[in-house]
């Protein structure tokens, strides 16, 4: 099973490591990302880099959006419908934004989640 990440910072790194250690394949892209992000992703040997996020969305069985809340809706609208699997939003978004994403993608393909750090 492939897990794709749109956005790759500390949260994605931590999750990808856990998923990889449990037998999942990890895909992402660094298209349009900062030099720092590119260097970070390049330092991780278990990630398959694809040329763009459209490919990530199409390849992923679970597509995880781990971006800033202000970009969550745009990412969902642009890439969420491209995955045939689950679109999982890990952004701290409002219930209204979550409803918009669910309406666009469909309840059976969308999971709204958040990560709380203690």
């Amino acid at each position: 099973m492939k897990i794709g990440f749109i956005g790759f910072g500390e949260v994605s790194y931590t999750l990808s490591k856990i998923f990889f250690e449990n037998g999942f394949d990890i895909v992402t892209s660094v298209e349009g990302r900062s030099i720092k992000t590119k260097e970070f992703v390049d330092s991780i040997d278990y990630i398959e880099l694809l040329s763009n996020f459209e490919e990530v969305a199409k390849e992923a069985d679970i597509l995880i959006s781990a971006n800033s809340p202000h970009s969550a809706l745009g990412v969902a609208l642009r890439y969420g419908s491209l995955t045939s699997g689950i679109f999982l939003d890990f952004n701290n978004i409002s219930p209204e934004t979550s409803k918009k994403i669910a309406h666009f993608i469909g309840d059976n393909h969308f999971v709204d989640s958040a990560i709380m750090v203690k």
Side-chain angles (χ1 to χ4, degrees), residues 24-101:
F24 293 91
D25 295 321
I26 310 299
V27 296
T28 194
S29 176
V30 292
E31 172 191 33
R33 306 306 295 182
S34 70
I35 292 172
K36 182 180 177 181
T37 299
K38 290 176 183 178
E39 290 172 349
F40 182 57
V41 171
D42 285 342
S43 72
I44 304 167
D45 62 356
Y46 57 82
I47 293 177
E48 178 184 357
L49 277 177
L50 302 178
S51 61
N52 57 57
F53 290 113
E54 288 86 0
E55 288 182 20
V56 173
K58 290 175 183 177
E59 294 257 341
D61 298 300
I62 299 173
L63 182 62
I64 297 175
S65 173
N67 297 281
S68 62
H70 77 273
S71 64
L73 182 58
V75 167
L77 295 177
R78 185 165 181 190
Y79 304 110
S81 64
L82 297 177
T83 186
S84 59
I86 300 295
F87 180 79
L88 175 60
D89 189 289
F90 263 139
N91 303 297
N92 187 16
I93 57 175
S94 71
E96 291 174 1
T97 301
S98 182
K99 287 178 186 176
K100 288 178 184 176
I101 295 171

